[in-house]
Amino acid sequence: MAYDEDLADRVRELVGREPGFDERRMFGGLAMMLKGNMAVVVRGAGGLMVRVDPAESERLEAEPGAQATVMRGRPMRGWITVDPSACAQDADLARWVDRGVSYAGTLPAK
């Protein structure tokens, strides 16, 4: 399944001017990178994968439309999957993208 191009464009609008921005196709979606670190992924299955501080994961998973990201049956610490409905509104999308960008900005450049 291809990722949602409209959602990708909306995410680009929010993150595209960040220093060190790049995007790469991976995981069946489109990863938005900052200085070589993934910040947000527009998922092929819909919605987003957002990189967050692992210490905040449990709190963020409690938000509507959010859940732990699971790959190959294993939870990925520090990643939240956001349902399409939970990022449909501009303010909600901006909040999730900002979380990913903010955390990726704390990581060393690759």
Side-chain angles (χ1 to χ4, degrees), residues 3 8 22 45 56 60 66 72 74-76 83 87 89 91 94 100 107 109:
Y3 60 86
D22 189 22
E56 294 290 313
L60 295 174
R72 297 183 182 168
R74 302 179 84 181
M76 292 180 56
D83 291 336
C87 56
Q89 299 297 315
L107 302 172

Side-chain angles (χ1 to χ4, degrees), residues 47-100:
L48 303 173
M49 267 179 33
V50 180
R51 192 167 200 174
V52 298
D53 182 339
E56 294 290 313
S57 291
E58 191 172 314
R59 180 182 66 79
L60 295 174
E61 289 167 17
E63 291 193 18
Q67 60 189 343
T69 298
V70 177
M71 286 196 155
R72 297 183 182 168
R74 302 179 84 181
M76 292 180 56
R77 188 166 155 79
W79 285 93
I80 301 290
T81 297
V82 181
D83 291 336
S85 63
C87 56
Q89 299 297 315
D90 289 341
D92 295 329
L93 178 65
R95 187 176 66 254
W96 282 110
V97 169
D98 182 58
R99 289 170 171 158

